[in-house]
């Protein structure tokens, strides 16, 4: 979630207007109850700092439970000290999270948020008759007021967080998610510790801080480990689902797009790169995503084995993680923008051989965890299998749809395409559909004179000429033997006839070169072609009729009329 510069300035201004003046007012209105207990203050400050340094990060939201320490501090030393400690806790938390310079606005944001929570809940506590000092142990009403303070403190904290999420971060997600539930439950569990800490402190001195602090630290560690294990399980489930989705994709491009998109959804990714091993010693960049936009790799130089981050990952066959820019910028990585910080690079392995490398980068420092290496490694295994299957499918599909000799589409593909184009014609997505059928004149004589290999050379060269002339205006296919068809969507009969005449002239006026004739010498051979043209819906109402009528124009209007000419179908 991005916060604009104007909002950041407003946050700093609010802090300047509220916090310094508010602290001064609190000090004079509710003076601290210290009376020389400086060692005790330091001990409570250390406890507050330890608690603040152990947040649980849930859905990228840090949760740290200092309410119980705040309660004990308020009851023992007063509101001003509690507010000072809360501000110290914010600083410790920001240092712990190691926020990027773009996120420094979070320091004044959290500072005035904690100030408001402390000031309002503490003021209400005093207005209701709450007091500070050791004598509260024997006051039954103190527990009730302390509970009111804790409840109000928690409610205000949640309200301000929700306001910040909506107005500052522009978040549209539901506030009552997992992080809200976890914080609520842990607050209910830990707040009574505040009363216990206060009572034990006033009866036994500083030793209770250890007796209460150590179990809390242990509890925090347990919560953190539990949440981490839940995160890993969620990632594993997502990885399995993504693996199934990639396996369903039959085209290489779709597999790569899905892989990158899912990685970007799972992890904080600002830049993503996929490299492919092109020979025994070089990696080639095949896909690059920057700022959420797909970019063509361009003429990027290849990476040598053991060169840079990706070359190192390739040579070692192991994933690698860099938490900050200073850890990886000593390597020469011209692919990566200068504002990148965290980098995660993982080899793509198939049959115990590295076939590529995926590299993810984030502008945030320490954006990736070590266990995420394992998740990406699993996804790379799925990706390698899906890519191999997609490549095999594309090769098989191309072989089944293309002529092995001329590399043009074959009759099977042409029939399928013709039916699809007629469907488009019936649905008014096409206005007209023309078909050209071409047959080489006296092709048998060429084979008899120069050999079948020379005949194949003519077919290959003719296929190249037809593809260049037609270009993107239509589809060229080998119909069988020496016959070729050209399907022309949205081209009327006059335009199709002109194109056919251009093709006829390109065949008749430029000889074909034979490299491997029977005489074993290079020959220039002139050939001609007869061509028939028909157009739907003018000449035909179904695919078979269009082929039949174009074929009739070829043999009746062109072949019988002397060959080397173009004829259009006429029902007369």
């Amino acid at each position: 979630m991005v916060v604009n510069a104007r909002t950041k300035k407003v946050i700093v201004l609010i802090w300047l207007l509220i916090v310094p003046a508010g602290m001064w007012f609190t000090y004079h209105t509710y003076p601290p109850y210290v009376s020389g207990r400086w060692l005790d203050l330091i001990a409570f400050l250390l406890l507050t700092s330890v608690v603040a340094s152990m947040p649980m990060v849930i859905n990228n939201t840090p949760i740290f439970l200092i309410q119980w320490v705040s309660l004990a501090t308020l009851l023992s030393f007063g509101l001003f000290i509690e507010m000072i400690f809360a501000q110290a806790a914010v600083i410790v938390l920001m240092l712990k999270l190691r926020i990027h310079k773009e996120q420094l606005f979070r320091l004044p944001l959290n500072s005035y948020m904690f100030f408001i929570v402390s000031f309002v809940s503490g003021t209400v506590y005093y207005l209701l008759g709450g007091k500070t000092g050791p004598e509260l142990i024997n006051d039954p009403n103190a527990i009730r007021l302390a509970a009111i303070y804790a409840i109000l403190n928690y409610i205000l904290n949640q309200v301000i967080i929700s306001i910040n999420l909506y107005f500052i971060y522009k978040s549209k997600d539901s506030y009552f998610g997992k992080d809200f539930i976890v914080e609520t439950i842990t607050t209910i569990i830990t707040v009574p510790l505040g009363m216990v800490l206060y009572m034990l402190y006033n009866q036994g001195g500083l030793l209770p801080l250890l007796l209460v602090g150590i179990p809390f630290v242990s509890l925090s560690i347990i919560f953190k480990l539990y949440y981490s294990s839940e995160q890993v399980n969620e990632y594993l489930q997502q990885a399995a689902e993504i693996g199934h989705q990639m396996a369903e994709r039959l085209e290489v491009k779709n597999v790569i797009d899905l892989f990158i998109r899912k990685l970007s959804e799972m992890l904080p990714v600002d830049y993503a790169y996929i490299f492919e091993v092109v020979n025994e010693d070089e990696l080639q960049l095949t896909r690059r995503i920057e700022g959420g936009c797909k970019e063509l790799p361009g003429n990027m130089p290849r990476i040598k084995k053991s060169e840079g981050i990706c070359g190192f990952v390739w040579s070692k066959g192991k994933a690698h993680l860099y938490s900050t820019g200073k850890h990886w910028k000593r390597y020469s990585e011209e692919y990566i923008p200068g504002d990148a910080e965290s980098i995660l690079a993982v080899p793509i392995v198939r049959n115990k051989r590295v076939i590529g490398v995926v590299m993810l980068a984030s502008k945030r420092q320490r954006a990736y965890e070590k266990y995420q290496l394992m998740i990406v490694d699993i996804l790379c295994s799925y990706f390698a299998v899906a890519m191999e299957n997609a490549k095999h499918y594309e090769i098989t599909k191309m072989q089944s749809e293309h002529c092995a000799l001329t590399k043009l589409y074959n009759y099977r593909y042409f029939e399928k395409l013709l039916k699809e184009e007629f469907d488009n014609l019936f649905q008014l997505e096409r206005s007209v559909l023309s078909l050209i059928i071409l047959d080489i004149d006296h092709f048998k004589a060429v084979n008899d004179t120069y050999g079948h290999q020379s005949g194949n050379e003519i077919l290959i060269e003719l296929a190249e000429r037809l593809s260049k002339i037609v270009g993107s205006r239509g589809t060229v296919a080998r119909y069988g033997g020496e016959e070729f068809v050209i399907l022309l969507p949205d081209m009327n009969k006059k335009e199709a006839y002109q194109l056919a005449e251009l093709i006829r002239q390109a065949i008749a006026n430029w000889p074909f070169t034979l490299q491997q004739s029977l005489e074993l010498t290079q020959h220039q051979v002139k050939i001609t072609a007869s061509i028939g043209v028909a157009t739907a819906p003018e000449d035909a109402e179904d695919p078979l009729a269009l082929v039949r009528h174009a074929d009739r124009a070829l043999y009746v209007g062109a072949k019988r009329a002397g060959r080397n000419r173009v004829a259009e179908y006429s029902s007369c």
Side-chain angles (χ1 to χ4, degrees), residues 173-199:
D173 298 333
S174 173
Y175 174 71
F176 300 98
K178 179 180 287 187
D179 47 350
F180 171 81
I181 296 172
V182 171
E183 185 169 7
T184 301
I185 293 173
T186 50
T187 299
I188 293 172
I189 294 173
T190 57
V191 163
L193 283 175
M195 286 300 299
V196 173
L197 177 61
Y198 167 76
M199 294 177 182

PDB file of all heavy atoms in Angstrom, residues 173-199:
ATOM      1  N   ASP A 173      -9.783  -3.899   2.239  1.00  0.00           N
ATOM      2  CA  ASP A 173      -9.944  -5.221   2.845  1.00  0.00           C
ATOM      3  C   ASP A 173     -10.718  -5.117   4.151  1.00  0.00           C
ATOM      4  O   ASP A 173     -10.724  -4.088   4.825  1.00  0.00           O
ATOM      5  CB  ASP A 173      -8.582  -5.865   3.113  1.00  0.00           C
ATOM      6  CG  ASP A 173      -7.802  -6.090   1.826  1.00  0.00           C
ATOM      7  OD1 ASP A 173      -8.450  -6.238   0.773  1.00  0.00           O
ATOM      8  OD2 ASP A 173      -6.564  -6.098   1.873  1.00  0.00           O
ATOM      9  N   SER A 174     -11.355  -6.220   4.496  1.00  0.00           N
ATOM     10  CA  SER A 174     -12.091  -6.263   5.755  1.00  0.00           C
ATOM     11  C   SER A 174     -11.125  -6.142   6.927  1.00  0.00           C
ATOM     12  O   SER A 174     -10.079  -6.801   6.961  1.00  0.00           O
ATOM     13  CB  SER A 174     -12.870  -7.576   5.864  1.00  0.00           C
ATOM     14  OG  SER A 174     -13.463  -7.701   7.137  1.00  0.00           O
ATOM     15  N   TYR A 175     -11.457  -5.303   7.883  1.00  0.00           N
ATOM     16  CA  TYR A 175     -10.584  -5.093   9.035  1.00  0.00           C
ATOM     17  C   TYR A 175     -10.591  -6.300   9.969  1.00  0.00           C
ATOM     18  O   TYR A 175      -9.605  -6.609  10.611  1.00  0.00           O
ATOM     19  CB  TYR A 175     -11.020  -3.840   9.793  1.00  0.00           C
ATOM     20  CG  TYR A 175     -10.258  -3.637  11.078  1.00  0.00           C
ATOM     21  CD1 TYR A 175      -8.919  -3.266  11.064  1.00  0.00           C
ATOM     22  CD2 TYR A 175     -10.869  -3.834  12.309  1.00  0.00           C
ATOM     23  CE1 TYR A 175      -8.203  -3.093  12.235  1.00  0.00           C
ATOM     24  CE2 TYR A 175     -10.165  -3.656  13.489  1.00  0.00           C
ATOM     25  CZ  TYR A 175      -8.835  -3.279  13.445  1.00  0.00           C
ATOM     26  OH  TYR A 175      -8.131  -3.106  14.601  1.00  0.00           O
ATOM     27  N   PHE A 176     -11.732  -6.992  10.027  1.00  0.00           N
ATOM     28  CA  PHE A 176     -11.888  -8.085  10.988  1.00  0.00           C
ATOM     29  C   PHE A 176     -11.323  -9.384  10.406  1.00  0.00           C
ATOM     30  O   PHE A 176     -12.035 -10.348  10.167  1.00  0.00           O
ATOM     31  CB  PHE A 176     -13.360  -8.253  11.366  1.00  0.00           C
ATOM     32  CG  PHE A 176     -13.949  -7.017  11.999  1.00  0.00           C
ATOM     33  CD1 PHE A 176     -14.696  -6.131  11.229  1.00  0.00           C
ATOM     34  CD2 PHE A 176     -13.720  -6.722  13.319  1.00  0.00           C
ATOM     35  CE1 PHE A 176     -15.220  -4.984  11.796  1.00  0.00           C
ATOM     36  CE2 PHE A 176     -14.239  -5.574  13.895  1.00  0.00           C
ATOM     37  CZ  PHE A 176     -14.987  -4.699  13.130  1.00  0.00           C
ATOM     38  N   GLY A 177     -10.019  -9.378  10.181  1.00  0.00           N
ATOM     39  CA  GLY A 177      -9.346 -10.550   9.640  1.00  0.00           C
ATOM     40  C   GLY A 177      -8.627 -11.326  10.713  1.00  0.00           C
ATOM     41  O   GLY A 177      -8.877 -11.184  11.914  1.00  0.00           O
ATOM     42  N   LYS A 178      -7.672 -12.157  10.276  1.00  0.00           N
ATOM     43  CA  LYS A 178      -6.943 -13.022  11.200  1.00  0.00           C
ATOM     44  C   LYS A 178      -6.136 -12.207  12.212  1.00  0.00           C
ATOM     45  O   LYS A 178      -6.065 -12.561  13.387  1.00  0.00           O
ATOM     46  CB  LYS A 178      -6.025 -13.951  10.420  1.00  0.00           C
ATOM     47  CG  LYS A 178      -5.203 -14.870  11.299  1.00  0.00           C
ATOM     48  CD  LYS A 178      -4.311 -15.773  10.495  1.00  0.00           C
ATOM     49  CE  LYS A 178      -5.108 -16.844   9.808  1.00  0.00           C
ATOM     50  NZ  LYS A 178      -4.235 -17.843   9.143  1.00  0.00           N
ATOM     51  N   ASP A 179      -5.527 -11.087  11.738  1.00  0.00           N
ATOM     52  CA  ASP A 179      -4.716 -10.290  12.652  1.00  0.00           C
ATOM     53  C   ASP A 179      -5.559  -9.678  13.767  1.00  0.00           C
ATOM     54  O   ASP A 179      -5.128  -9.603  14.921  1.00  0.00           O
ATOM     55  CB  ASP A 179      -3.969  -9.189  11.891  1.00  0.00           C
ATOM     56  CG  ASP A 179      -4.859  -8.424  10.936  1.00  0.00           C
ATOM     57  OD1 ASP A 179      -6.004  -8.868  10.717  1.00  0.00           O
ATOM     58  OD2 ASP A 179      -4.403  -7.389  10.414  1.00  0.00           O
ATOM     59  N   PHE A 180      -6.802  -9.263  13.453  1.00  0.00           N
ATOM     60  CA  PHE A 180      -7.696  -8.716  14.469  1.00  0.00           C
ATOM     61  C   PHE A 180      -8.060  -9.785  15.501  1.00  0.00           C
ATOM     62  O   PHE A 180      -8.051  -9.535  16.719  1.00  0.00           O
ATOM     63  CB  PHE A 180      -8.962  -8.177  13.812  1.00  0.00           C
ATOM     64  CG  PHE A 180     -10.040  -7.781  14.784  1.00  0.00           C
ATOM     65  CD1 PHE A 180      -9.986  -6.553  15.434  1.00  0.00           C
ATOM     66  CD2 PHE A 180     -11.095  -8.637  15.069  1.00  0.00           C
ATOM     67  CE1 PHE A 180     -10.979  -6.177  16.334  1.00  0.00           C
ATOM     68  CE2 PHE A 180     -12.078  -8.272  15.974  1.00  0.00           C
ATOM     69  CZ  PHE A 180     -12.013  -7.040  16.609  1.00  0.00           C
ATOM     70  N   ILE A 181      -8.366 -10.988  15.013  1.00  0.00           N
ATOM     71  CA  ILE A 181      -8.762 -12.072  15.918  1.00  0.00           C
ATOM     72  C   ILE A 181      -7.600 -12.451  16.842  1.00  0.00           C
ATOM     73  O   ILE A 181      -7.769 -12.603  18.054  1.00  0.00           O
ATOM     74  CB  ILE A 181      -9.234 -13.299  15.103  1.00  0.00           C
ATOM     75  CG1 ILE A 181     -10.500 -12.939  14.316  1.00  0.00           C
ATOM     76  CG2 ILE A 181      -9.487 -14.488  16.021  1.00  0.00           C
ATOM     77  CD1 ILE A 181     -10.930 -14.018  13.343  1.00  0.00           C
ATOM     78  N   VAL A 182      -6.394 -12.586  16.244  1.00  0.00           N
ATOM     79  CA  VAL A 182      -5.224 -12.965  17.044  1.00  0.00           C
ATOM     80  C   VAL A 182      -4.928 -11.909  18.095  1.00  0.00           C
ATOM     81  O   VAL A 182      -4.666 -12.223  19.270  1.00  0.00           O
ATOM     82  CB  VAL A 182      -4.003 -13.180  16.130  1.00  0.00           C
ATOM     83  CG1 VAL A 182      -2.740 -13.349  16.963  1.00  0.00           C
ATOM     84  CG2 VAL A 182      -4.212 -14.397  15.244  1.00  0.00           C
ATOM     85  N   GLU A 183      -4.973 -10.623  17.703  1.00  0.00           N
ATOM     86  CA  GLU A 183      -4.666  -9.559  18.649  1.00  0.00           C
ATOM     87  C   GLU A 183      -5.692  -9.509  19.774  1.00  0.00           C
ATOM     88  O   GLU A 183      -5.346  -9.282  20.939  1.00  0.00           O
ATOM     89  CB  GLU A 183      -4.600  -8.211  17.933  1.00  0.00           C
ATOM     90  CG  GLU A 183      -4.155  -7.083  18.857  1.00  0.00           C
ATOM     91  CD  GLU A 183      -3.830  -5.815  18.109  1.00  0.00           C
ATOM     92  OE1 GLU A 183      -4.067  -5.756  16.895  1.00  0.00           O
ATOM     93  OE2 GLU A 183      -3.338  -4.870  18.754  1.00  0.00           O
ATOM     94  N   THR A 184      -6.963  -9.725  19.435  1.00  0.00           N
ATOM     95  CA  THR A 184      -8.008  -9.698  20.454  1.00  0.00           C
ATOM     96  C   THR A 184      -7.802 -10.819  21.481  1.00  0.00           C
ATOM     97  O   THR A 184      -7.853 -10.596  22.694  1.00  0.00           O
ATOM     98  CB  THR A 184      -9.394  -9.845  19.815  1.00  0.00           C
ATOM     99  OG1 THR A 184      -9.599  -8.768  18.881  1.00  0.00           O
ATOM    100  CG2 THR A 184     -10.489  -9.800  20.870  1.00  0.00           C
ATOM    101  N   ILE A 185      -7.550 -12.030  20.981  1.00  0.00           N
ATOM    102  CA  ILE A 185      -7.381 -13.175  21.884  1.00  0.00           C
ATOM    103  C   ILE A 185      -6.148 -12.992  22.767  1.00  0.00           C
ATOM    104  O   ILE A 185      -6.206 -13.201  23.989  1.00  0.00           O
ATOM    105  CB  ILE A 185      -7.273 -14.482  21.070  1.00  0.00           C
ATOM    106  CG1 ILE A 185      -8.606 -14.774  20.369  1.00  0.00           C
ATOM    107  CG2 ILE A 185      -6.871 -15.645  21.976  1.00  0.00           C
ATOM    108  CD1 ILE A 185      -8.557 -15.945  19.417  1.00  0.00           C
ATOM    109  N   THR A 186      -5.030 -12.590  22.142  1.00  0.00           N
ATOM    110  CA  THR A 186      -3.805 -12.441  22.926  1.00  0.00           C
ATOM    111  C   THR A 186      -3.914 -11.283  23.922  1.00  0.00           C
ATOM    112  O   THR A 186      -3.312 -11.341  25.004  1.00  0.00           O
ATOM    113  CB  THR A 186      -2.602 -12.197  21.997  1.00  0.00           C
ATOM    114  OG1 THR A 186      -2.917 -11.148  21.071  1.00  0.00           O
ATOM    115  CG2 THR A 186      -2.259 -13.455  21.219  1.00  0.00           C
ATOM    116  N   THR A 187      -4.673 -10.244  23.588  1.00  0.00           N
ATOM    117  CA  THR A 187      -4.876  -9.138  24.530  1.00  0.00           C
ATOM    118  C   THR A 187      -5.659  -9.611  25.750  1.00  0.00           C
ATOM    119  O   THR A 187      -5.325  -9.289  26.898  1.00  0.00           O
ATOM    120  CB  THR A 187      -5.620  -7.974  23.854  1.00  0.00           C
ATOM    121  OG1 THR A 187      -4.830  -7.493  22.764  1.00  0.00           O
ATOM    122  CG2 THR A 187      -5.848  -6.837  24.830  1.00  0.00           C
ATOM    123  N   ILE A 188      -6.716 -10.396  25.504  1.00  0.00           N
ATOM    124  CA  ILE A 188      -7.524 -10.932  26.608  1.00  0.00           C
ATOM    125  C   ILE A 188      -6.664 -11.803  27.525  1.00  0.00           C
ATOM    126  O   ILE A 188      -6.802 -11.787  28.753  1.00  0.00           O
ATOM    127  CB  ILE A 188      -8.722 -11.742  26.049  1.00  0.00           C
ATOM    128  CG1 ILE A 188      -9.688 -10.797  25.327  1.00  0.00           C
ATOM    129  CG2 ILE A 188      -9.435 -12.493  27.168  1.00  0.00           C
ATOM    130  CD1 ILE A 188     -10.796 -11.524  24.577  1.00  0.00           C
ATOM    131  N   ILE A 189      -5.733 -12.547  26.909  1.00  0.00           N
ATOM    132  CA  ILE A 189      -4.880 -13.436  27.693  1.00  0.00           C
ATOM    133  C   ILE A 189      -3.846 -12.658  28.496  1.00  0.00           C
ATOM    134  O   ILE A 189      -3.572 -12.973  29.671  1.00  0.00           O
ATOM    135  CB  ILE A 189      -4.172 -14.450  26.760  1.00  0.00           C
ATOM    136  CG1 ILE A 189      -5.207 -15.389  26.126  1.00  0.00           C
ATOM    137  CG2 ILE A 189      -3.117 -15.251  27.529  1.00  0.00           C
ATOM    138  CD1 ILE A 189      -4.616 -16.305  25.069  1.00  0.00           C
ATOM    139  N   THR A 190      -3.258 -11.620  27.882  1.00  0.00           N
ATOM    140  CA  THR A 190      -2.099 -10.968  28.495  1.00  0.00           C
ATOM    141  C   THR A 190      -2.436  -9.791  29.408  1.00  0.00           C
ATOM    142  O   THR A 190      -1.633  -9.471  30.305  1.00  0.00           O
ATOM    143  CB  THR A 190      -1.134 -10.475  27.404  1.00  0.00           C
ATOM    144  OG1 THR A 190      -1.840  -9.577  26.513  1.00  0.00           O
ATOM    145  CG2 THR A 190      -0.579 -11.630  26.594  1.00  0.00           C
ATOM    146  N   VAL A 191      -3.587  -9.126  29.208  1.00  0.00           N
ATOM    147  CA  VAL A 191      -3.902  -7.962  30.047  1.00  0.00           C
ATOM    148  C   VAL A 191      -3.929  -8.302  31.541  1.00  0.00           C
ATOM    149  O   VAL A 191      -3.417  -7.523  32.365  1.00  0.00           O
ATOM    150  CB  VAL A 191      -5.210  -7.300  29.597  1.00  0.00           C
ATOM    151  CG1 VAL A 191      -5.772  -6.379  30.684  1.00  0.00           C
ATOM    152  CG2 VAL A 191      -4.970  -6.494  28.325  1.00  0.00           C
ATOM    153  N   PRO A 192      -4.506  -9.445  31.942  1.00  0.00           N
ATOM    154  CA  PRO A 192      -4.442  -9.778  33.376  1.00  0.00           C
ATOM    155  C   PRO A 192      -3.018  -9.859  33.910  1.00  0.00           C
ATOM    156  O   PRO A 192      -2.789  -9.670  35.115  1.00  0.00           O
ATOM    157  CB  PRO A 192      -5.130 -11.151  33.449  1.00  0.00           C
ATOM    158  CG  PRO A 192      -6.066 -11.153  32.280  1.00  0.00           C
ATOM    159  CD  PRO A 192      -5.358 -10.403  31.216  1.00  0.00           C
ATOM    160  N   LEU A 193      -2.050 -10.113  32.997  1.00  0.00           N
ATOM    161  CA  LEU A 193      -0.657 -10.118  33.443  1.00  0.00           C
ATOM    162  C   LEU A 193      -0.242  -8.756  33.981  1.00  0.00           C
ATOM    163  O   LEU A 193       0.632  -8.656  34.843  1.00  0.00           O
ATOM    164  CB  LEU A 193       0.274 -10.494  32.267  1.00  0.00           C
ATOM    165  CG  LEU A 193       0.346 -11.973  31.875  1.00  0.00           C
ATOM    166  CD1 LEU A 193       1.209 -12.138  30.635  1.00  0.00           C
ATOM    167  CD2 LEU A 193       0.915 -12.803  33.017  1.00  0.00           C
ATOM    168  N   GLY A 194      -0.869  -7.699  33.438  1.00  0.00           N
ATOM    169  CA  GLY A 194      -0.537  -6.354  33.907  1.00  0.00           C
ATOM    170  C   GLY A 194      -0.870  -6.170  35.371  1.00  0.00           C
ATOM    171  O   GLY A 194      -0.060  -5.615  36.136  1.00  0.00           O
ATOM    172  N   MET A 195      -2.063  -6.634  35.757  1.00  0.00           N
ATOM    173  CA  MET A 195      -2.450  -6.534  37.161  1.00  0.00           C
ATOM    174  C   MET A 195      -1.548  -7.407  38.032  1.00  0.00           C
ATOM    175  O   MET A 195      -1.122  -6.996  39.127  1.00  0.00           O
ATOM    176  CB  MET A 195      -3.907  -6.962  37.333  1.00  0.00           C
ATOM    177  CG  MET A 195      -4.916  -5.944  36.827  1.00  0.00           C
ATOM    178  SD  MET A 195      -4.790  -4.344  37.677  1.00  0.00           S
ATOM    179  CE  MET A 195      -5.140  -4.805  39.369  1.00  0.00           C
ATOM    180  N   VAL A 196      -1.230  -8.614  37.543  1.00  0.00           N
ATOM    181  CA  VAL A 196      -0.357  -9.512  38.298  1.00  0.00           C
ATOM    182  C   VAL A 196       1.022  -8.890  38.461  1.00  0.00           C
ATOM    183  O   VAL A 196       1.613  -8.910  39.563  1.00  0.00           O
ATOM    184  CB  VAL A 196      -0.255 -10.884  37.598  1.00  0.00           C
ATOM    185  CG1 VAL A 196       0.790 -11.764  38.289  1.00  0.00           C
ATOM    186  CG2 VAL A 196      -1.613 -11.568  37.576  1.00  0.00           C
ATOM    187  N   LEU A 197       1.549  -8.287  37.376  1.00  0.00           N
ATOM    188  CA  LEU A 197       2.861  -7.658  37.429  1.00  0.00           C
ATOM    189  C   LEU A 197       2.867  -6.505  38.428  1.00  0.00           C
ATOM    190  O   LEU A 197       3.803  -6.359  39.212  1.00  0.00           O
ATOM    191  CB  LEU A 197       3.250  -7.156  36.028  1.00  0.00           C
ATOM    192  CG  LEU A 197       4.580  -6.397  35.921  1.00  0.00           C
ATOM    193  CD1 LEU A 197       5.739  -7.298  36.338  1.00  0.00           C
ATOM    194  CD2 LEU A 197       4.784  -5.884  34.504  1.00  0.00           C
ATOM    195  N   TYR A 198       1.805  -5.695  38.401  1.00  0.00           N
ATOM    196  CA  TYR A 198       1.721  -4.556  39.339  1.00  0.00           C
ATOM    197  C   TYR A 198       1.718  -5.046  40.783  1.00  0.00           C
ATOM    198  O   TYR A 198       2.446  -4.519  41.634  1.00  0.00           O
ATOM    199  CB  TYR A 198       0.463  -3.745  39.037  1.00  0.00           C
ATOM    200  CG  TYR A 198       0.117  -2.762  40.124  1.00  0.00           C
ATOM    201  CD1 TYR A 198       0.834  -1.576  40.267  1.00  0.00           C
ATOM    202  CD2 TYR A 198      -0.916  -3.027  41.017  1.00  0.00           C
ATOM    203  CE1 TYR A 198       0.528  -0.672  41.281  1.00  0.00           C
ATOM    204  CE2 TYR A 198      -1.237  -2.144  42.023  1.00  0.00           C
ATOM    205  CZ  TYR A 198      -0.517  -0.960  42.144  1.00  0.00           C
ATOM    206  OH  TYR A 198      -0.821  -0.065  43.144  1.00  0.00           O
ATOM    207  N   MET A 199       0.896  -6.058  41.075  1.00  0.00           N
ATOM    208  CA  MET A 199       0.784  -6.562  42.447  1.00  0.00           C
ATOM    209  C   MET A 199       2.100  -7.167  42.920  1.00  0.00           C
ATOM    210  O   MET A 199       2.569  -6.889  44.040  1.00  0.00           O
ATOM    211  CB  MET A 199      -0.334  -7.598  42.531  1.00  0.00           C
ATOM    212  CG  MET A 199      -1.724  -7.024  42.294  1.00  0.00           C
ATOM    213  SD  MET A 199      -2.993  -8.324  42.317  1.00  0.00           S
ATOM    214  CE  MET A 199      -4.468  -7.371  41.957  1.00  0.00           C
TER     215      MET A 199
END
